[in-house]
């Protein structure tokens, strides 16, 4: 069996390019023995694993997908044990959530074998309540789709620096000026918002939205169904929820009416919102309160990123698109909460108001650490920052 896996692994490895590496490589601490890479379908998890393996001797590494027919009648531990016995050192397992009780098997590999394991899986995976107590052993990383910066790098085959939130808030005029001297950002920003979040856009732009819809269907019909044991007869209700969000602005969302429209209880609706949020289909923004509850009403609810809105919603609202983009970019390194003053509270400190080029400071003019984030401007001034610039946070 190991020979079969190696033959397939070699073919896949030869097809893997190392010409562009995503921000993952700057985040992962590779010295750890058990590393989990979680995130949406299509963001580049598999490519990341293979790019990392390419840095080592082929004989010391092995990659396979958990849903492979070759491994369907063999336990993870048995594969890892044979790999280790023949001198293997780094094992990468894709789609780990497809294996029942994978936590127990990974725990045994960690405890009894002297190999490093990297695994990828659905963003909906959580090890906090694992019976195998894997949370003390595995280091999990949750990654996002392309930032605007990464999109530009792939689009233009050029390198751009990323910036911290503090750098953007305090030095945005200089940063934006230096970037806009090199390129016309609005030549690409609209394209990114509609098409640029998932890397496979560059493989086949014309069929991109079809692939996005297929990916979300797979998340709902397979990943969430398997991980959360959802009754298959209710799968269409999760899809209804996604579609109904297209006609509801986040600040007008009535969850009681939404539950009635779908034909489920409010408690079930909250549970489904939680599942879809973990699966990176939805993005919820909550009020900042001392005791957070998993199954509760969100203050605002969005599709996860603007590409999903352009794919599933017939008439995307520009205000929603702007807020989606901002939340999505910030959520990689910051905490975003709903604010009753302004639109959002970031890292429990900064008040953010989002709008178009003419957006004023009226609502937040007397508040410290408050900023207007404005679309349709290339360079800001004072506390008014261009929206696109937050696409350079990672």
């Amino acid at each position: 069996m190991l020979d079969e896996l190696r033959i397939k692994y070699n073919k896949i490895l030869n097809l893997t390019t190392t010409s562009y590496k995503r921000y993952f490589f700057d985040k992962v601490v590779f010295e750890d023995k058990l590393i989990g890479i979680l995130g949406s379908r299509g963001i580049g998890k598999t490519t990341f694993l293979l790019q990392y393996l390419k840095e080592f001797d082929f004989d010391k590494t092995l990659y396979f997908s958990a849903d492979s027919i070759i491994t369907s009648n063999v336990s993870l531990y048995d594969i890892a044990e044979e790999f280790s016995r023949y001198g293997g050192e780094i094992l990468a397992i894709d789609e780990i959530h497809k294996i029942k009780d994978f936590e127990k098997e990974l725990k045994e590999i960690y405890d009894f074998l002297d190999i490093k394991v990297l695994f990828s899986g659905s963003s909906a995976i959580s090890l906090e309540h694992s019976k195998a107590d894997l949370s003390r052993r595995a280091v999990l990383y949750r990654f996002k789709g392309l930032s605007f910066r990464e999109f530009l790098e792939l689009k233009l085959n050029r390198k751009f620096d990323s910036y911290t939130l503090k750098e953007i808030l305090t030095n945005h005029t200089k940063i934006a000026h230096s970037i806009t001297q090199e390129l016309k950002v609005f030549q690409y920003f609209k394209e990114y918002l509609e098409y640029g979040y998932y890397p496979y856009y560059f493989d086949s732009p014309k069929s991109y939205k079809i692939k996005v819809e297929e990916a979300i269907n797979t998340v709902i019909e397979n990943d969430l169904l398997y991980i959360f044991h959802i009754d298959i007869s209710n799968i269409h209700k999760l899809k209804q929820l996604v579609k109904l969000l297209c006609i509801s602005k986040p600040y007008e969302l009535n969850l009681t009416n939404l539950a009635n429209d779908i034909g489920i209880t409010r408690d079930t609706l909250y549970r489904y919102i939680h599942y879809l949020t973990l699966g990176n289909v939805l993005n919820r923004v909550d009020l900042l309160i001392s005791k957070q509850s998993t199954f509760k009403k969100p203050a605002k609810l969005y599709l996860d990123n603007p590409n999903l809105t352009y794919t599933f919603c017939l008439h995307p609202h520009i205000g929603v698109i702007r807020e989606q983009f901002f939340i999505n970019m910030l959520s990689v390194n910051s905490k975003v909460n709903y604010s009753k003053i302004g639109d959002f509270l970031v890292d429990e400190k900064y008040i953010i108001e989002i709008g178009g080029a003419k957006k004023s400071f009226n609502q937040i003019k007397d508040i410290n650490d408050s900023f207007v984030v404005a679309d349709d401007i290339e360079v800001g001034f004072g506390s008014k920052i261009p929206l696109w610039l937050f696409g350079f946070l990672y």
Side-chain angles (χ1 to χ4, degrees):
M1 181 201 59
L2 200 59
D3 289 340
E4 285 185 88
L5 288 176
R6 285 197 177 282
I7 291 170
K8 188 173 183 180
Y9 165 45
N10 186 50
K11 290 179 180 178
I12 296 172
L13 200 63
N14 287 334
L15 295 172
T16 302
T17 175
T18 56
S19 59
Y20 186 80
K21 293 182 177 180
R22 293 212 52 211
Y23 80 102
F24 305 175
F25 280 88
D26 297 326
K27 297 292 184 179
V28 175
V29 178
F30 291 104
E31 288 75 17
D32 290 310
K33 186 179 178 182
L34 185 57
I35 299 169
I37 307 299
L38 310 181
S40 309
R41 286 184 172 273
I43 63 164
K45 302 187 297 296
T46 301
T47 300
F48 165 77
L49 293 177
L50 292 166
Q51 286 177 331
Y52 176 69
L53 294 181
K54 266 197 164 187
E55 298 177 1
F56 301 91
D57 184 353
F58 177 79
D59 292 334
K60 302 291 184 182
T61 63
L62 180 65
Y63 162 91
F64 68 91
S65 181
D67 57 2
S68 171
I69 293 176
I70 299 173
T71 62
S72 59
N73 62 342
V74 188
S75 72
L76 272 186
Y77 182 84
D78 287 344
I79 297 171
E81 193 278 329
E82 184 178 351
F83 172 64
S84 177
R85 188 160 19 101
Y86 285 95
E89 296 178 357
I90 306 173
L91 177 63
I93 307 167
D94 219 348
E95 299 282 286
I96 193 77
H97 59 279
K98 296 292 184 65
I99 297 179
K100 186 178 181 180
D101 297 326
F102 71 86
E103 300 97 333
K104 294 179 181 178
E105 299 226 45
L106 288 178
K107 177 181 181 295
E108 287 194 353
I109 294 171
Y110 181 96
D111 289 344
F112 299 112
L113 299 178
D114 187 23
I115 60 173
K116 180 196 296 288
V117 177
L118 292 87
F119 62 91
S120 79
S122 166
S123 55
I125 290 175
S126 176
L127 301 180
E128 293 178 8
H129 305 294
S130 167
K131 293 180 181 178
D133 196 21
L134 198 62
S135 59
R136 293 193 300 109
R137 295 167 171 81
V139 180
L140 295 187
Y141 296 89
R142 298 181 183 274
F143 290 126
K144 293 281 191 175
L146 295 176
S147 66
F148 182 43
R149 179 190 71 85
E150 290 179 306
F151 170 78
L152 289 171
E153 289 187 334
L154 285 167
K155 179 83 174 176
L156 304 176
N157 194 27
R158 293 170 58 184
K159 295 294 292 183
F160 295 94
D161 292 331
S162 61
Y163 301 91
T164 65
L165 177 61
K166 186 174 182 180
E167 286 173 332
I168 288 178
L169 295 181
T170 58
N171 202 24
H172 61 89
T173 302
K174 182 179 179 180
I175 295 170
H177 182 72
S178 67
I179 295 171
T180 54
Q181 288 288 94
E182 297 184 50
L183 77 156
K184 296 178 180 179
V185 291
F186 291 120
Q187 184 178 346
Y188 306 103
F189 190 48
K190 176 63 168 64
E191 181 184 2
Y192 169 79
L193 292 176
E194 188 166 354
Y195 299 101
Y197 189 68
Y198 301 100
Y200 50 78
Y201 169 61
F202 294 98
D203 297 329
S204 51
K206 291 182 179 179
S207 61
Y208 177 73
K209 289 186 179 180
I210 295 173
K211 289 187 175 181
V212 170
E213 185 169 0
E214 289 175 348
I216 297 303
N217 278 335
T218 302
V219 170
I220 294 173
E221 295 172 359
N222 293 283
D223 300 351
L224 300 185
L225 181 72
Y226 188 84
I227 294 170
F228 298 113
H229 310 293
I230 300 170
D231 187 332
I232 195 169
S233 64
N234 286 334
I235 287 299
H236 72 286
K237 295 185 182 296
L238 276 78
K239 294 182 180 181
Q240 278 183 279
L241 174 56
V242 171
K243 188 60 182 176
L244 285 171
L245 285 178
C246 288
I247 58 176
S248 303
K249 294 179 183 178
Y251 46 85
E252 296 175 348
L253 197 62
N254 186 313
L255 293 189
T256 299
N257 290 343
L258 194 58
N260 291 335
D261 289 340
I262 299 173
I264 56 179
T265 66
R266 280 172 60 96
D267 288 345
T268 300
L269 176 62
Y270 293 166
R271 201 161 59 247
Y272 285 177
I273 288 172
H274 176 63
Y275 298 159
L276 289 167
T277 301
L278 287 178
N280 287 147
V281 179
L282 302 184
N283 205 337
R284 59 180 292 161
V285 180
D286 297 317
L287 273 169
L288 182 64
I289 55 177
S290 57
K291 292 184 178 181
Q292 295 285 355
S293 173
T294 298
F295 304 122
K296 67 180 180 63
K297 178 182 177 180
K300 283 189 174 184
L301 190 63
Y302 304 81
L303 296 184
D304 180 73
N305 62 79
N307 284 193
L308 297 187
T309 298
Y310 279 109
T311 298
F312 294 109
C313 307
L314 188 60
H315 303 292
H317 188 277
I318 187 60
V320 172
I321 295 294
R322 290 165 177 163
E323 293 184 5
Q324 274 181 315
F325 169 77
F326 179 80
I327 297 165
N328 199 269
M329 294 297 99
L330 269 289
S331 63
V332 169
N333 296 310
S334 293
K335 181 180 180 182
V336 181
N337 290 104
Y338 173 71
S339 175
K340 294 181 179 179
I341 305 172
D343 289 319
F344 301 108
L345 173 66
V346 176
D347 291 334
E348 302 184 23
K349 180 178 181 180
Y350 306 110
I351 297 293
I352 304 294
E353 181 77 14
I354 297 178
K358 296 181 180 179
K359 187 69 177 181
S360 72
F361 288 87
N362 290 343
Q363 290 178 263
I364 55 174
K365 60 181 180 180
D366 298 320
I367 301 172
N368 293 330
D369 293 318
S370 63
F371 301 86
V372 166
V373 173
D375 196 7
D376 300 320
I377 63 171
E378 283 194 343
V379 180
F381 58 91
S383 295
K384 192 168 188 175
I385 308 173
L387 176 67
W388 64 263
L389 188 54
F390 290 90
F392 282 72
L393 284 170
Y394 70 92

